[in-house]
Amino acid sequence: MFSKKAATVFLFLPKERNFSAFHANCEKQLRKIILILVLLLLLFQIAFDLASGVGGKIDKTEVLSAVEKYEKYHVCYGGEEEERKANYTDMVNKYYDLVTSFYEFGWGESFHFAPRWKGESLQESIKRHEHFLALQLGLKSGQKVLDVGCGIGGPLREIARFSSTSVTGLNNNEYQITRGKELNRFAGVDKTCNFVKADFMKMPFPDNSFDAVYAIEATCHAPDAYGCYKEIYRVLKPGQCFAAYEWCLTDAFDPNNQEHKKIKAEIEIGDGLPDIRSTRKCLEALKQAGFEVIWEKDLAPDSPLPWYLPLDTSHFSLSSFRLTSVGRFVTRNMVKALEFVGLAPKGSQRVQDFLEKAAEGLVAGGRKEIFTPMYFFLARKPQHG
C-alpha cells in the first residue's frame, strides 16, 4: 500500500495526458536557462578581454599610477593647458594605453564618429564616412597614402581596400601599433599597409613622400595645429591633397560661459586632448602652413541623425548595445567585479569613469552645438610647394 506521503506526491505528478505538455515546457525552460548561462559566460569573456587589455604596454601593477598621472594633466584635477601641451606625448600615450581596449570593445576598429542616415547602423555610417574622405582625395590604385594618427588602423584598412592604395599609418603609441599589425594580418593587407611609430609633429619621412594624406579625428591631439599641418605639408607631394575630420569648438562656444567651459574640460580629460581649437583656428593654421583650402565645412548640422546618438543614454540600439546606458551599466559592473577579484588591473574602473565623463561632455556639446567632431576640410599643396 502507498503511504500518505507517497500518495500526496502522486497527486501532484502530471497526468499521463498532460505529460507531453509538461515535458515540452520543462525543455523550453531549460533552453532559456542554458541560453542565459551562455550569454553570461560570453559577456564575462568579453569583459575579461576588455579589462585585461586596460593599460596597453603599461605594466598592470602601474595602471592606477598611470591613471592618476593622466588625470592630473586636466582642469578637473587642477591641470593647466600649457602643461598638457608641453607634455602632450606622455599625456596622449598614457591615454591610449589606458583606453584602447575600451574603444575597441565599444566602437570596433574605427574610433570615430560619422554623419548618419535614418535606418543606417553605426558601423555602416563609419564606413561611409571613410569612403567619403577617400573619394574627396580622389585616391587612385597604387598611390602611397599617409594616415596621420591612425589608431589601430580601422580606417586605414577600409580605405586601402576601398581605393586599392598602399596606406602607411603614423602612430606614436606602441600598443596600438602592435594591435594594428595583428588586425592587418587578419585582414590580409599587411603586404600593402604598414605602421610607423613616430610623433606627427616630427615625422621621419623625406619631403614630398606621399600622394595623399588624411587624418580622422586625430590631429586634435597635436599641441599646435600649425606645427602639425606644416609637417603634413612637408611630406605631401606638390599638387596633392590633405583631407581631415577635426574635433573643434564651433562659433557657438562662449569661453565665458561656465557650462560651456565644463563641457570642454570633460571632453579634454575623456579624450586625451591638450586643448580644443575652434574651426576658425584650424582654417587659419592650414593657410599659414601653405595649403590652398579647396573647401571646408562642419558636417555635423547636416547629419539626419545626431552624430552623438551612439553615446546618448536616452537612445537604445541593439546594433550598438555596448554604447547604450544598459550596455555601459553592464560593462561598468563587470569591470568593477573583475578589478575587485584581481582579474583586471587596479585603475580600470577609473578609466571607465573618465570615458563616461567624456561621453556626457560630447553629448552635451553636441546638443548645444558648441562642439563638432567632423569639421571637414580638403586642402591642396600648391604645385610649386
Side-chain angles (χ1 to χ4, degrees):
M1 298 295 291
F2 288 116
S3 68
K4 185 181 287 187
K5 185 175 180 181
T8 304
V9 171
F10 179 78
L11 285 172
F12 282 95
L13 284 173
K15 294 181 179 178
E16 187 173 339
R17 63 178 178 273
N18 293 325
F19 187 76
S20 294
F22 174 77
H23 185 262
N25 185 55
C26 285
E27 282 191 338
K28 186 177 179 181
Q29 295 303 319
L30 184 59
R31 283 196 296 269
K32 282 183 180 179
I33 292 168
I34 291 171
L35 179 61
I36 291 169
L37 287 173
V38 169
L39 288 173
L40 284 173
L41 284 170
L42 181 62
L43 188 60
F44 178 83
Q45 182 61 52
I46 291 170
F48 178 73
D49 290 343
L50 160 67
S52 61
V54 174
K57 291 290 184 180
I58 299 171
D59 188 282
K60 301 305 178 189
T61 61
E62 297 176 5
V63 168
L64 181 57
S65 173
V67 172
E68 290 170 346
K69 287 176 183 175
Y70 171 76
E71 288 174 338
K72 286 176 182 176
Y73 280 122
H74 292 276
V75 172
C76 308
Y77 294 85
E80 299 289 338
E81 179 185 324
E82 289 309 311
E83 185 184 5
R84 291 195 297 278
K85 288 182 175 180
N87 296 284
Y88 74 94
T89 300
D90 179 66
M91 182 190 73
V92 175
N93 255 314
K94 277 189 172 61
Y95 175 76
Y96 280 113
D97 273 330
L98 293 168
V99 307
T100 294
S101 63
F102 281 94
Y103 270 28
E104 193 174 350
F105 172 76
W107 222 253
E109 295 177 21
S110 293
F111 305 159
H112 63 81
F113 294 98
R116 192 168 166 190
W117 293 98
K118 292 178 181 178
E120 186 177 42
S121 72
L122 174 62
Q123 291 305 317
E124 287 169 341
S125 71
I126 284 173
K127 285 190 176 186
R128 183 171 51 78
H129 203 43
E130 293 164 358
H131 295 175
F132 174 82
L133 186 145
L135 291 169
Q136 288 297 311
L137 283 169
L139 298 183
K140 297 179 178 64
S141 178
Q143 284 187 321
K144 188 178 177 183
V145 181
L146 178 66
D147 180 334
V148 178
C150 62
I152 61 172
L156 175 156
R157 287 180 288 279
E158 185 63 33
I159 287 173
R161 288 179 293 204
F162 178 72
S163 60
S164 299
T165 52
S166 174
V167 186
T168 296
L170 185 74
N171 193 327
N172 208 20
N173 184 269
E174 186 63 43
Y175 176 67
Q176 288 198 333
I177 288 177
T178 300
R179 181 66 180 135
K181 286 179 178 177
E182 291 174 359
L183 293 169
N184 273 12
R185 284 193 294 273
F186 183 77
V189 298
D190 52 312
K191 298 293 188 294
T192 55
C193 298
N194 68 310
F195 294 90
V196 173
K197 186 182 184 304
D199 183 346
F200 49 41
M201 302 296 287
K202 295 170 283 190
M203 298 187 199
F205 307 116
D207 295 356
N208 310 322
S209 293
F210 295 96
D211 298 302
V213 180
Y214 67 85
I216 300 179
E217 301 182 21
T219 47
C220 51
H221 293 294
D224 169 33
Y226 165 75
C228 182
Y229 296 162
K230 192 67 179 174
E231 268 293 272
I232 291 169
Y233 182 94
R234 181 183 67 77
V235 302
L236 182 63
K237 291 178 182 178
Q240 301 304 309
C241 291
F242 166 44
Y245 297 121
E246 281 282 11
W247 280 32
C248 290
L249 297 172
T250 69
D251 289 343
F253 178 79
D254 179 359
N256 298 313
N257 182 307
Q258 291 303 311
E259 185 181 11
H260 289 193
K261 287 168 70 176
K262 178 178 178 290
I263 290 169
K264 177 176 180 284
E266 287 176 344
I267 296 172
E268 286 169 349
I269 187 172
D271 294 283
L273 305 179
D275 187 24
I276 308 177
R277 292 177 280 274
S278 68
T279 55
R280 292 172 185 268
K281 283 188 177 179
C282 283
L283 186 58
E284 184 182 309
L286 264 179
K287 293 175 179 176
Q288 285 179 344
F291 283 105
E292 297 172 348
V293 179
I294 298 171
W295 73 282
E296 48 82 29
K297 184 180 181 181
D298 177 10
L299 303 181
D302 294 336
S303 178
L305 293 176
W307 59 264
Y308 54 82
L309 193 66
L311 299 177
D312 189 344
T313 54
S314 65
H315 172 73
F316 183 83
S317 168
L318 284 174
S319 64
S320 51
F321 173 76
R322 295 173 187 178
L323 296 172
T324 64
S325 57
V326 177
R328 279 150 60 177
F329 173 81
V330 171
T331 303
R332 186 186 315 118
N333 284 283
M334 279 288 191
V335 171
K336 187 182 291 185
L338 289 168
E339 184 175 333
F340 178 77
V341 298
L343 293 176
K346 290 188 182 301
S348 299
Q349 184 58 46
R350 291 266 285 272
V351 176
Q352 172 88 4
D353 290 344
F354 68 64
L355 285 174
E356 291 202 9
K357 188 181 290 291
E360 292 167 9
L362 288 165
V363 171
R367 282 181 176 155
K368 293 185 176 297
E369 300 181 345
I370 63 172
F371 170 81
T372 177
M374 53 190 72
Y375 173 58
F376 176 80
F377 59 73
L378 179 66
R380 181 188 292 115
K381 179 177 179 176
Q383 190 65 49
H384 59 76

